[in-house]
């Protein structure tokens, strides 16, 4: 059987999805996209999963598109628009739409669409030695997979423009200071930090977390009026959930809630 390019482990409500082409810094091939789709199908159909951790094997998170997996053959050049339409865009939309929190564990380099993938996750934790690189311009391309949206939204126009135009590495520390990611931690502390966070998220009210994700992600495109309506609608649904009753009862009974993700 052909070796998979991603690894998936599910335990205690946490799915750990690892991009697994360490020799190529986990760069994306068409095969990897297919393996990712299959893994995400399994995660979505497994009712026990309440948090996803996305990581890269080896010394990098992900170096973006595998540049050796593109054709430059005259008459058979890879159509980049089509490639994006068939692979990267559905992946980014899927991660953003997953009804559970997604944590990116970034160790090493996150470059090109690899940086975009990390930024599409809900909470990004990076090792101090990690870095983010808008590598696209270095090969004559524009940032894709959401980076032209994520960057100005999080760090402002001036920083987004210079990062995208200059194609220089941004350290994890600077990324955290600028608000591009949630946290930068010492390399030795990365795994413990990610495990603690994932464990915590997996015991939280999953449907509330999914609604938080949906509403915060919708906010940028919505007016306050529409956002108020969205919050009302989501609250209406959550108000009928097990975890809402459990949360209120636990508070009144002065005990810790036991959320089930229902
Ligand atoms: C790679 C790659 C890589 C193949 C490292 N491909 N092998 C979407 C749709 C359509 C088309 C185009 O693009 C997109 C989105 C994109 O992602 S565009 C941006 C694509 N990514 C890049 O341009 C990054 C290219 N890589 C680099 O600039 C460097 O490798 C970085 C800065 C990421 C890391 O540098 P180093 O730490 O010095 O590592 P290295 O360069 O020695 O790489 C290690 C190995 O990984 C090496 O293979 P080898 O067999 O020689 O040991 C690299 O060739 C391979 N690799 N990135 N994207």
């Amino acid at each position: 059987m052909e070796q998979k390019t991603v690894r998936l482990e599910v335990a205690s409500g946490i799915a750990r999805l690892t991009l697994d082409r360490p020799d190529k810094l986990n760069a994306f091939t068409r095969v990897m996209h297919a393996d990712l789709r299959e893994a995400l199908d399994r995660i979505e159909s497994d009712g026990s999963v309440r948090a996803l951790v996305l990581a890269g094997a080896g010394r990098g998170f992900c170096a973006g598109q595998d540049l050796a997996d593109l054709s430059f053959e005259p008459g058979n050049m890879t159509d980049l628009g089509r490639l994006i339409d068939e692979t990267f865009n559905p992946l980014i939309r899927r991660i953003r739409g997953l009804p559970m929190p997604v944590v990116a564990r970034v160790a090493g380099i996150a470059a090109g669409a690899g940086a975009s993938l990390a930024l599409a996750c809900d909470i990004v934790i990076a090792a101090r030695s990690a870095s983010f690189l808008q590598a696209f311009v270095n090969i004559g391309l524009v940032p894709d997979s959401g980076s032209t949206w994520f960057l100005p939204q999080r760090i402002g126009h001036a920083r987004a423009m210079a990062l995208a135009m200059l194609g220089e590495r941004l350290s994890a520390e600077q990324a955290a200071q600028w608000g591009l990611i949630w946290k930068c931690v010492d390399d030795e502390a990365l795994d413990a930090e990610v495990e603690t966070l994932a464990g915590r998220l997996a015991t939280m009210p999953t449907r509330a977390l999914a609604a938080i994700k949906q509403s915060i992600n919708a906010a940028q495109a919505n007016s306050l009026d529409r956002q108020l309506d969205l919050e009302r609608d989501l609250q209406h649904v959550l108000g009928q959930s097990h975890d809402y009753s459990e949360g209120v009862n636990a508070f009144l009974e002065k005990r810790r809630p036991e959320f089930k993700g229902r």
Side-chain angles (χ1 to χ4, degrees):
M1 211 172 82
E2 211 172 291
Q3 175 94 28
K4 288 277 182 208
T5 59
V6 305
R7 263 186 287 129
L8 175 63
E9 290 148 33
V10 177
S12 309
I14 304 166
R16 293 177 180 80
L17 182 52
T18 307
L19 308 179
D20 198 12
R21 300 187 66 229
D23 294 351
K24 300 295 172 190
L25 300 178
N26 306 312
F28 286 105
T29 57
R30 281 219 178 242
V31 172
M32 188 194 268
H33 278 290
D35 288 345
L36 271 172
R37 280 194 294 275
E38 197 185 305
L40 289 166
D41 286 346
R42 280 175 56 197
I43 290 167
E44 280 203 275
S45 61
D46 181 338
S48 75
V49 177
R50 293 168 64 184
L52 167 61
V53 176
L54 189 58
R59 72 173 176 93
F61 176 72
C62 174
Q65 168 66 33
D66 187 318
L67 302 178
D69 200 40
L70 300 168
S71 170
F72 286 86
E73 208 181 295
N76 188 31
M77 283 246 325
T78 304
D79 176 334
L80 301 191
R82 190 163 164 205
L83 177 61
I84 286 173
D85 229 11
E86 291 175 353
T87 57
F88 289 98
N89 284 357
L91 173 64
I92 299 299
R93 290 191 176 108
R94 196 156 182 195
I95 297 282
R96 293 271 292 189
L98 270 187
M100 67 185 71
V102 182
V103 176
R105 172 201 180 276
V106 181
I109 186 90
S116 310
L117 175 67
L119 298 180
C121 296
D122 302 312
I123 299 182
V124 185
I125 302 192
R128 202 165 299 284
S129 63
S131 55
F132 297 81
L133 173 64
Q134 293 295 311
F136 311 86
V137 71
N138 300 336
I139 53 166
L141 295 178
V142 62
D144 63 27
S145 306
S147 268
T148 60
W149 194 85
F150 297 129
L151 289 175
Q153 187 201 25
R154 293 177 198 174
I155 60 176
H157 178 95
R159 287 165 173 165
M161 193 66 88
L163 279 182
M165 283 194 159
L166 301 177
E168 289 175 5
R169 284 179 197 236
L170 178 71
S171 70
E173 201 149 9
Q174 187 70 272
Q177 273 168 23
W178 283 357
L180 185 64
I181 63 170
W182 166 237
K183 239 185 209 184
C184 158
V185 299
D186 289 340
D187 291 19
E188 317 78 69
L190 180 66
D191 282 324
E193 189 83 27
V194 169
E195 283 309 300
T196 304
L197 175 66
R200 183 173 158 199
L201 289 167
T203 57
M204 289 178 71
T206 315
R207 293 181 62 186
L209 296 180
I212 289 167
K213 172 169 177 167
Q214 186 187 340
S215 52
I216 301 253
N217 286 342
Q220 204 200 9
N222 273 348
S223 62
L224 174 59
D225 240 16
R226 286 184 60 133
Q227 196 68 10
L228 288 170
D229 287 348
L230 175 63
E231 291 170 356
R232 175 205 58 208
D233 294 344
L234 291 170
Q235 212 71 299
H236 168 73
V237 174
L238 290 173
Q240 299 163 57
S241 67
H242 164 277
D243 287 345
Y244 164 64
S245 311
E246 170 62 9
V248 174
N249 284 329
F251 175 79
L252 296 176
E253 292 162 14
K254 300 192 186 302
R255 61 172 172 83
R256 283 172 71 87
E258 268 192 56
F259 295 120
K260 304 273 189 219
R262 288 190 268 114

